[in-house]
């Protein structure tokens, strides 16, 4: 597949208006995407668990307008108009216009809501951009009189989502999605996410993710700025090689269910990501003191109990606590007695591996 393959032939049907609703989840990377080049191509492959509970539900309503050369859309979050979201969507439309050439033929109303609090510090870009990309693909599918395979639909939706936000292309399917070409992963591509194609041990079924909300504030440095700082980064090439090696190692780990080895890869990836931030120029730190307190507590608990709990981080201070389902009651007890004290207002979210986006309505 090349990007050219996603440029459609003229549509066979005219549609004046309609609306479509998709729900799409967030995801948490095990091997991290950090560093990209134009147009939104990753510098290294990444793999993530798709989440189940943290998701965005988006309704796209469309009505035909004259193509006057401009985009026309309104965005609502929880029923309230959100002009602050418009620039990001405008950029997304500009990047995807070649592939969904109907964008200027419609006025769009984009109504979105998240199952997690907007102020939780959880990025909604992965779930939000994937939900919007899926809505556009549903419209394209109707314009094509449904002549499109599900495989192509998913691939192109992921391709579009990537152009909105890189990690969004890993949210459409589950439970594990790879984005970025890797020699040992069949079908992997820089252009879109693909379902992890190999055997996964039962140890990973229903894997749990408790998200400890350490800091709900706005990040000082956006992911996009952070990615760009990898361009002249002194350790960039080594980091990209490390990600390739970790993907290879994870393949064996996922097959064998080796949780000890899993922990080493996942925690090392999280700390390597933050090490890249600390060694960028300009440098920055997104972890907070409580992030480190939590990490140390997790390490002590693991040493004392032989638990297979581990942590990962995204581009922020919150901590994702990952553990096998059979440890749920003990780990939740540990979180409630020892970790909630480090969460802002004691808040955390319980999630687990999920299976991807769902079409809610199409009329
Ligand atoms: C640290 O996908 O948010 O979460 O492509 O600029 O929108 P853009 O960045 P984004 O970056 C996420 C980076 C990460 C790691 C990961 O999810 O792989």
């Amino acid at each position: 597949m090349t990007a050219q393959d996603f440029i459609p032939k003229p549509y066979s049907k005219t549609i004046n208006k309609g609306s479509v609703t998709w729900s799409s989840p967030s995801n948490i990377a095990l091997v991290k995407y950090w560093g990209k080049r134009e147009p939104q191509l990753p510098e290294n492959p990444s793999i993530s668990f798709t989440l189940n509970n943290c998701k965005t539900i988006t309704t796209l309503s469309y009505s035909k307008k004259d193509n006057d050369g401009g985009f026309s859309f309104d965005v609502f979050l929880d029923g309230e108009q959100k002009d602050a979201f418009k620039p990001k969507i405008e950029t997304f439309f500009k990047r995807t216009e070649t592939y969904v050439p109907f964008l200027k033929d419609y006025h769009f109303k984009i109504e979105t809501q998240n199952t997690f609090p907007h102020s939780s510090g959880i990025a909604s870009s992965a779930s939000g951009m994937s939900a919007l990309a899926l809505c556009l693909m549903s419209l394209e599918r109707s314009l094509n009189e449904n002549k499109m395979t599900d495989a192509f639909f998913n691939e192109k939706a992921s391709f579009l989502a990537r152009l909105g936000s890189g990690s969004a292309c890993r949210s459409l399917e589950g439970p594990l999605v790879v984005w970025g070409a890797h020699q040992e992963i069949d079908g992997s591509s820089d252009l879109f996410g693909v379902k992890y194609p190999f055997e996964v041990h039962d140890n990973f079924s229903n894997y749990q993710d408790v998200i400890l909300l350490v800091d709900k504030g706005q990040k000082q440095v956006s992911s996009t700025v952070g990615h760009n700082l990898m361009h002249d980064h002194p350790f960039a090439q080594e980091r990209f090689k490390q990600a390739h090696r970790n993907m290879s190692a994870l393949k064996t780990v996922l097959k064998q269910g080796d949780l000890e080895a899993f922990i080493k890869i996942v925690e090392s990836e999280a700390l390597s990501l933050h090490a890249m931030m600390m060694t960028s120029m300009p440098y920055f730190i997104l972890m907070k003191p409580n992030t480190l307190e939590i990490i140390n507590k997790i390490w002590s608990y693991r040493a004392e109990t032989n638990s297979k709990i581990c942590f990962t981080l995204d581009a922020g201070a919150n901590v994702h606590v990952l553990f096998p389902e059979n440890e749920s009651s003990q780990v939740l007890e540990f979180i409630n007695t020892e970790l909630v004290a480090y969460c802002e207002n004691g808040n955390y979210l319980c999630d687990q591996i999920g299976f991807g986006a769902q079409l809610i309505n199409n009329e």
Side-chain angles (χ1 to χ4, degrees):
M1 271 297 202
T2 66
Q4 251 61 36
D5 297 323
F6 293 115
I7 300 176
K9 300 206 173 69
Y11 299 121
S12 50
K13 197 172 168 190
T14 311
I15 295 174
N16 287 323
K17 58 188 226 171
S19 97
V20 55
T21 305
W22 276 91
S23 110
S24 189
S26 185
N27 67 73
I28 180 67
L30 305 172
V31 173
K32 308 290 179 179
Y33 147 56
W34 199 244
K36 63 176 170 181
R37 55 185 195 282
E38 287 292 333
Q40 289 276 104
L41 297 167
E43 292 284 13
N44 65 259
S46 59
I47 181 167
S48 50
F49 276 149
T50 306
L51 296 183
N52 191 57
N53 305 335
C54 291
K55 51 191 180 194
T56 298
I57 298 135
T58 297
T59 298
L60 180 77
S61 307
Y62 44 92
S63 49
K64 197 97 189 203
K65 69 166 183 74
D66 285 337
N67 184 340
D68 53 6
F71 301 118
S72 170
F73 62 96
D74 293 308
V75 198
F76 296 82
L77 174 68
D78 298 327
E80 275 182 39
Q81 192 140 1
K82 267 276 178 207
D83 288 345
F85 288 2
K86 288 189 94 171
K88 193 151 189 188
I89 294 172
E90 178 98 18
T91 304
F92 171 64
F93 279 180
K94 279 187 195 144
R95 284 192 194 139
T96 52
E97 201 194 345
T98 316
Y99 309 102
V100 273
F102 55 79
L103 287 180
K104 286 179 177 158
D105 296 334
Y106 290 93
H107 172 75
F108 296 105
K109 183 177 180 193
I110 304 163
E111 291 168 284
T112 185
Q113 65 190 83
N114 299 320
T115 57
F116 47 89
H118 184 60
S119 58
S120 59
I122 298 192
S124 56
S125 63
S127 50
M129 282 298 171
S130 51
L132 182 55
L134 284 158
C135 289
L136 292 174
M137 280 310 294
S138 285
L139 173 52
E140 171 154 283
R141 186 176 237 174
S142 305
L143 289 167
N144 269 331
E145 297 178 273
N146 296 328
K147 285 185 219 116
M148 189 185 287
T149 63
D150 286 344
F152 180 84
F153 181 98
N154 281 335
E155 228 162 61
K156 184 166 173 182
S158 176
F159 171 85
L160 295 177
R162 183 201 102 231
L163 292 167
S165 177
S167 56
C169 77
R170 297 189 312 237
S171 272
L172 288 74
E173 297 178 276
L176 279 155
V177 176
V178 174
W179 170 40
H182 186 275
Q183 224 180 2
E184 295 159 40
I185 301 180
D186 309 334
S188 61
S189 165
D190 285 352
L191 298 177
F192 44 79
V194 295
K195 235 169 115 162
Y196 181 70
F198 305 115
E199 194 186 327
V200 177
H201 193 280
D202 256 358
N203 281 353
F204 296 102
S205 31
N206 273 333
Y207 224 70
Q208 305 288 303
D209 180 7
V210 173
I211 309 164
L212 304 176
L213 304 176
V214 170
D215 181 31
K216 304 194 213 158
Q218 188 81 22
K219 280 186 284 188
Q220 304 103 313
V221 182
S222 74
S223 291
T224 301
V225 170
H227 284 294
N228 287 332
L229 291 174
M230 289 302 279
H231 288 316
D232 295 312
H233 196 292
F235 307 132
Q237 294 315 316
E238 271 313 308
R239 160 62 200 150
F240 303 146
K241 283 188 215 153
Q242 176 198 35
H244 277 270
R245 282 195 303 273
N246 281 340
M247 292 290 290
S248 302
L250 201 55
K251 197 174 145 181
T252 314
V253 166
L254 289 173
K255 184 170 176 202
Q256 296 177 344
D258 183 347
L259 295 176
E260 306 272 351
F262 177 79
I263 291 170
K264 285 198 183 119
I265 295 169
V266 169
E267 293 191 345
S268 161
E269 274 290 320
L271 295 178
S272 298
L273 166 71
H274 283 256
M276 290 301 111
M277 301 175 189
M278 291 189 234
T279 47
S280 299
M281 193 54 79
Y283 41 80
F284 58 105
I285 302 179
L286 295 182
M287 289 190 280
K288 297 282 179 196
N290 281 350
T291 312
L292 293 178
E293 294 284 0
I294 290 168
I295 291 173
N296 279 308
K297 286 273 181 191
I298 289 175
W299 285 344
S300 313
Y301 177 78
R302 202 161 67 212
E304 285 158 20
T305 63
N306 208 25
S307 161
K308 298 296 179 278
I309 187 176
C310 71
F311 72 86
T312 188
L313 308 167
D314 54 19
N318 295 337
V319 181
H320 288 249
V321 184
L322 303 178
F323 52 94
E325 193 187 24
N326 63 12
E327 286 193 37
S328 286
S329 50
Q330 300 94 300
V331 171
L332 284 173
E333 165 89 24
F334 161 63
I335 289 172
N336 279 314
T337 52
E338 300 217 35
L339 302 184
V340 276
Y342 303 109
C343 300
E344 204 173 323
N345 306 324
N347 287 153
Y348 62 86
L349 301 168
C350 293
D351 212 332
Q352 60 179 28
I353 284 192
F355 297 91
Q358 280 175 318
L359 179 64
I360 310 280
N361 192 34
N362 192 6
E363 54 195 33

